[in-house]
Amino acid sequence: RTSTSYFQTESFAYSDKYKLISGADITTVLLLTPPERLSCSRGGLRDPARPPQQPLGFGFVPPCVDKDEQGPISEAWDVDPGLITKLKEQYKKERKGKKGVKRPNRSKLQDMLANLRDGEDLSHMQPPSTPQSRPNAARFNEHEPNRTDEVEALTFPPTSGKSFIMGADEAMESELGLGELAGLTVANEADSLAYDIGNNKDAMRKTWNPKFTLRSHFDGIRALTFHPVEPVLVTASEDHTLKMWNLQKTAPAKKSTSLDVEPIYTFRAHRGAVLSVVMSTSGEQCFSGGVDGTIQCWNTPNPNIDPYDSYDASMLRGELCGHTDSVWGLVYSSAHQRLLSCSADGTVRLWDANTTSPALAVFNEDKNLGVPSSVDLVCSDPAHLVTSFTNGQIGLFNMETRQLVLSLESNLEPGSPCQINKEDRHIKFFDNNSGKMIHSMVAHLDAVTSLAVDPNGLYLMSGSHDCSIRLWNLESKTCIQEFTAHRKKSEESIHDVAFHPSKCYIASAGADALAKVFV
């Protein structure tokens, strides 16, 4: 080990400790003396073993250092090595004693400080010259509760009364055994709950954030549906396939904070783009409709299936035939175990979900109302279905009598183009009893393509070709969250949105061949 200094001299001296290497008037000195034998004073370096009366034969010149780089110069650097070694050993013993100690919980910490505050009233615990203890301990119940998570594992060994570089307040805390607890604050839990929950629904609502990105389809994703109880999602794509995803089987995505999920099963049976998909309430069956006019019936694979297993032909139960054009929408009725479908052939059909027999009923067979574009069940009356048509009409049908029960008010003049779902960017609310429109609002900057209501009936989610998903409070009809989810492709963006029936997931399907899951 060496250190370097500079001195100015005209003569050279050699010794067994110092080797001088000449170089003009400024000579470099390589000090080969072990560092532990050297000490420093204002006069420069000296060897403690050599008496100060014996000159070395040359003088040292302080090195040239910029004023900006100079720090505070200590008057003397002489430190007893024995004291340093002793302090190191003492510190190691203290740290060793703290290892493996379990973190005390909040209630125990509160009891400890309560006992300490009681002890502060005792006269022998209060030095007469010491001011009042720091206010942090006294305000123990006035701040956030999650500050307790920041405290390391603490122990309270008896102190010896000795302090090393310690002020009066710190010495007092050491005697009390506070240690790191002196700076701890814990909030009053009653204060945080002292508000009216009923008037703060939006304040307590969940904020959704992107979590999973599903990348495996080769073309736009037209529809998706969640398993009723498992963290499983099924997507339907224009690449003629459906894919099943287990959201618990994830891998870190490249250059992204989101997680990638690989599909665990691919459904292949359609001869064209798949436009719709729905799952039974038990999760054991799945149904898909496509451009080929067929409805394929599937047995849902086990969520823990090996994605590299060989093909199992038993997954496909069969197909429902009857439509002569694209199947745009599907909905499953758990009350009757029935399946509803709407098609570009102008009809709405009712099927027995447990068989592959022909349709049980056909609605709008004469196409009086137009061509249906979507279908759903009326949640308040399971015997009724509602369907919208490309001409802007909306009709409620009785599934048993097959009759039109109610036609919802559309506010369209005869011969005017469709404005309900496609062009006017509105979301409209209707009364199922009177058929009148009770509210209408501009919801997006482009066409609204999909709607979904959360399982509790409190929030509405909408997707649009403006690349955004918006969450609405159904009571106040106000937007409470908006986030961009997909990129545009051929002037299309988001095709479908969905809530998980029992878990905290929402998902969106995009024309960019991606599905996004938010938590």
Side-chain angles (χ1 to χ4, degrees):
R1 296 175 61 185
T2 64
S3 66
T4 304
S5 181
Y6 300 92
F7 68 98
Q8 187 173 2
T9 180
E10 294 180 357
S11 61
F12 302 95
Y14 293 84
S15 71
D16 57 344
K17 298 187 177 70
Y18 300 91
K19 182 179 180 181
L20 309 186
I21 303 175
S22 174
D25 290 337
I26 303 299
T27 304
T28 300
V29 182
L30 300 180
L31 303 177
L32 305 182
T33 303
E36 62 270 12
R37 292 191 56 198
L38 296 178
S39 62
C40 181
S41 64
R42 300 189 67 176
L45 292 172
R46 66 179 179 85
D47 185 350
R50 169 180 291 222
Q53 293 81 5
Q54 299 178 5
L56 298 178
F58 52 84
F60 289 95
V61 177
C64 297
V65 182
D66 294 340
K67 292 183 180 181
D68 296 339
E69 298 178 359
Q70 290 182 351
I73 301 176
S74 174
E75 289 295 325
W77 289 358
D78 293 327
V79 180
D80 185 3
L83 176 60
I84 295 178
T85 304
K86 182 178 179 181
L87 292 174
K88 285 181 179 179
E89 293 176 354
Q90 181 181 351
Y91 174 77
K92 289 179 180 179
K93 289 180 180 180
E94 292 176 356
R95 295 298 299 172
K96 186 176 181 181
K98 293 183 179 181
K99 289 182 179 179
V101 179
K102 186 177 180 181
R103 183 196 304 269
N105 58 31
R106 182 169 56 199
S107 60
K108 290 184 179 180
L109 294 176
Q110 290 174 338
D111 294 339
M112 291 176 187
L113 288 183
N115 294 335
L116 290 172
R117 284 197 296 271
D118 295 338
E120 289 177 3
D121 297 334
L122 301 177
S123 58
H124 68 278
M125 297 293 288
Q126 294 281 0
S129 61
T130 304
Q132 283 187 336
S133 60
R134 285 158 42 173
N136 287 343
R139 291 197 300 267
F140 188 81
N141 290 327
E142 295 178 8
H143 299 284
E144 301 180 24
N146 50 2
R147 285 289 303 277
T148 56
D149 295 334
E150 302 174 7
V151 182
E152 294 182 359
L154 304 176
T155 55
F156 302 93
T159 57
S160 61
K162 297 180 181 179
S163 61
F164 177 71
I165 317 179
M166 185 180 293
D169 289 346
E170 293 169 336
M172 176 64 182
E173 291 166 4
S174 177
E175 291 294 334
L176 292 175
L178 284 176
E180 297 180 32
L181 280 178
L184 178 68
T185 58
V186 176
N188 186 351
E189 295 181 357
D191 292 343
S192 62
L193 298 176
Y195 58 83
D196 185 2
I197 295 178
N199 295 330
N200 288 272
K201 290 181 180 179
D202 286 346
M204 298 182 66
R205 72 177 185 269
K206 175 177 175 56
T207 299
W208 298 92
N209 297 296
K211 182 68 173 180
F212 306 109
T213 301
L214 314 184
R215 328 168 180 265
S216 184
H217 284 293
F218 296 107
D219 209 338
I221 301 176
R222 281 285 178 172
L224 48 77
T225 186
F226 278 107
H227 191 284
V229 293
E230 298 288 344
V232 170
L233 181 69
V234 177
T235 54
S237 171
E238 295 175 358
D239 64 6
H240 303 192
T241 68
L242 298 98
K243 292 182 183 290
M244 181 173 170
W245 316 75
N246 188 336
L247 302 181
Q248 290 183 337
K249 294 184 177 181
T250 62
K254 296 178 181 178
K255 300 179 182 180
S256 174
T257 57
S258 63
L259 295 173
D260 272 350
V261 185
E262 293 295 331
I264 60 174
Y265 191 83
T266 300
F267 304 84
R268 293 181 174 89
H270 286 280
R271 297 179 295 276
V274 189
L275 304 177
S276 55
V277 61
V278 70
M279 193 173 288
S280 66
T281 51
S282 65
E284 297 176 355
Q285 297 173 338
C286 186
F287 306 89
S288 59
V291 171
D292 56 8
T294 65
I295 300 172
Q296 302 293 339
C297 307
W298 311 88
N299 290 318
T300 307
N302 189 301
N304 297 316
I305 188 176
D306 186 346
Y308 301 104
D309 278 351
S310 58
Y311 174 73
D312 186 359
S314 65
M315 293 298 177
L316 180 60
R317 294 173 46 238
E319 68 178 41
L320 301 176
C321 298
H323 286 296
T324 59
D325 207 337
S326 301
V327 180
W328 288 105
L330 290 173
V331 61
Y332 183 85
S333 172
S334 58
H336 306 95
Q337 293 187 346
R338 299 289 188 260
L339 185 70
L340 281 168
S341 62
C342 67
S343 169
D345 63 9
T347 64
V348 176
R349 296 177 184 257
L350 179 67
W351 312 82
D352 183 351
N354 296 319
T355 67
T356 56
S357 56
L360 301 176
V362 181
F363 304 87
N364 194 44
E365 197 167 6
D366 52 7
K367 302 182 183 179
N368 287 338
L369 295 177
V371 177
S373 58
S374 63
V375 64
D376 205 349
L377 294 168
V378 179
C379 58
S380 59
D381 190 348
H384 289 173
L385 67 90
V386 58
T387 183
S388 61
F389 297 87
T390 54
N391 59 7
Q393 299 293 324
I394 303 174
L396 266 72
F397 291 86
N398 187 306
M399 286 192 287
E400 296 179 358
T401 64
R402 309 181 194 177
Q403 298 299 314
L404 178 66
V405 177
L406 183 66
S407 182
L408 303 185
E409 189 178 81
S410 61
N411 292 335
L412 290 179
E413 297 181 1
S416 63
C418 169
Q419 293 184 352
I420 286 294
N421 293 329
K422 190 64 178 174
E423 302 297 337
D424 65 353
R425 301 166 293 166
H426 282 65
I427 294 177
K428 299 181 179 181
F429 297 80
F430 295 87
D431 187 333
N432 287 350
N433 297 319
S434 65
K436 294 186 178 297
M437 184 174 64
I438 58 177
H439 186 72
S440 178
M441 61 186 184
V442 177
H444 286 272
L445 301 177
D446 205 338
V448 181
T449 60
S450 54
L451 298 172
V453 179
D454 82 298
N456 298 319
L458 299 176
Y459 301 106
L460 173 72
M461 179 167 53
S462 60
S464 169
H465 285 324
D466 65 4
C467 303
S468 72
I469 297 174
R470 295 190 178 184
L471 198 66
W472 306 84
N473 184 312
L474 278 176
E475 184 179 358
S476 62
K477 309 294 191 300
T478 56
C479 181
I480 57 177
Q481 187 177 355
E482 176 187 7
F483 39 88
T484 302
H486 297 271
R487 296 180 180 180
K488 273 197 173 186
K489 176 187 173 184
S490 302
E491 299 304 316
E492 295 183 346
S493 180
I494 297 173
H495 287 143
D496 197 13
V497 292
F499 282 96
H500 194 290
S502 59
K503 296 187 181 295
C504 201
Y505 294 118
I506 61 175
S508 62
D512 55 3
L514 300 179
K516 301 284 186 74
V517 179
F518 302 80
V519 297

